[in-house]
Amino acid sequence: MRIAVVGSGYVGLVAGACFAELGHDVIVVDNDEQKLAALQAGQVPIHENFLPELLNRHRGKRLTFSGDLQPAVKESSAIFIAVGTPPTEQGEADLSYVESVARSISAAINGYKVVVEKSTVPVYTSEWVRRVILRNAAPPDLFDVASNPEFLREGNAVTDFLYPDRIVVGANNERCAAVLREIYAPLTDGRYYRRPEAIPQPGQVPIPPKLIVTSTQSAELIKHASNAFLAMKISFINAVASVCEAVGADVKQVCQGIGSDSRIGARFFNPGIGYGGSCFPKDLKAFRAVARECGYEFRLLDEVMRINEEQRERFLRKVRSALWTLRGKRLAVLGLAFKGGTDDIRESPAIFLVETLLQEGCRIAAYDPAAQERAREVLGSSVDFAADAYEAARGADALLILTEWDEFANLDLKRMYSQLKYPVVIDGRNLYDGESMAEFGFTYYSVGRSAVIPEHTRDAAAPARTLKNS
Ligand code: UDX
Ligand code: UDX
């Protein structure tokens, strides 16, 4: 099928490349000339596993890039809208880009088209899109608007798209649903997975994935509610971690005990410095706002957001109690991306902590395997960017682990010990365990577990009683 995807961000570019991988002819349209030129020149503007392979495989063949929306719409049967839906001041989703794309589409409807929401949008957006297209003189029987929310995670985007737990299609009639069924058929009938060149299966995933057809409202809500529930799970375990710290329990053991209950599940139960990224923070605010508009005060979401904010403050308090005064202290920071596996720093807890510690007079040497260039755009020369984790640690008063990169969980601890001025590690992602850190003589603070302070430094390292925590 001929498909147009509007927006070549994390969602649009990955969706476009994967639709081409499924055998469709795809035009990805973006109004950012720089991004377009980079894509047409063969570059890969985002850090995603398997994306370079897919772009090399299909670019210029089943996958093309254009800055011109209307010709792309005219020659396509389905148009996926994957433009940004950033938050407004009030936290609502800013849908102005979605509206402007809908307006442009209406003038190019030269036969039956299905317009598909791929960006995360509040409930009723599909009705607004239909209204805008009708208002701009498109014949009502020549198009339908569907919702097809994307559940991909950055860092795993390609495999999440090709090996999804489920595909959700919001369509208010069978004619429209049939088009989406045909688009995803290579996945739902299993034929894609039988191809020798298929992208490898990432562990335990349901094959073939089920396709769930709902109303457009339900599909739009499924996306917001899914992200809200995942964020709630993270805030819940972070809250439990705070209780563990207060009573001397071990959150890792608690996670195992809770997560082994099949009704709860162990995934997305990693305590840390809180969630970030381009989705959870904005989608929770947008869901909260849309619920209020519909007359429901979804206060639970406020608490999810409050706990997330508090996690950052708790980590800062841990740094202060480990180092006493911060002014002039040299800190080594491992991780700037909002999570491991991506170069994305949007709403990154690590960036927030680095900026706060700089304001408190710390000097920071930082290292991130993929996000340094994007972080440099934000932090400039206020931070020394290191070539690797060991260079960052050289002569530092303490080492802070802020992003859950696998690389940081497999450091040469003996070498790290020799690099640091003081062997103090404050781990915001629980990448290590207290026993092994004690063996190497580190003073080790983590989330939801008691601090590990080697015998010989007990007096020196014991968290000094400061006015704040006395
Ligand atoms: C997008 C949505 O922002 C988010 O709500 C949803 O959860 C996932 O899809 P992402 O792909 O990360 O997220 O967005 P972004 O990286 O902002 O990319 C959007 C792209 O759309 C940009 O390349 C932008 O240039 C392009 N765009 C935006 C258009 O082509 N036309 C427009 O009118 C507006
Ligand atoms: C999320 C959703 O997972 C995805 O389905 C949706 O389409 C987009 O939003 P993403 O933002 O890419 O994906 O990252 P995710 O892996 O969900 O992590 C989000 C944040 O939560 C990161 O900051 C991560 O570090 C944090 N996190 C995740 C935890 O703190 N603990 C966990 O157990 C899992």
Side-chain angles (χ1 to χ4, degrees), residues 367-389:
Y367 169 67
D368 186 289
Q372 292 207 170
E373 286 327 302
R374 292 188 190 273
R376 205 186 289 276
E377 288 157 22
V378 174
L379 299 169
S381 58
S382 65
V383 161
D384 302 333
F385 290 99
D388 61 34

Side-chain angles (χ1 to χ4, degrees), residues 6-12 29-32 35 82-86 97 100-101 118-120 154 223 278-279 282-283 346:
V6 189
S8 65
Y10 283 83
V11 169
V29 180
D30 202 297
N31 63 2
D32 179 327
K35 204 179 245 186
V83 295
T85 54
Y97 300 131
S100 74
V101 170
K118 198 69 176 145
S119 295
T120 304
E154 290 181 27
K223 177 58 186 175
S278 64
C279 293
K282 86 170 165 59
D283 293 346
R346 290 180 285 185

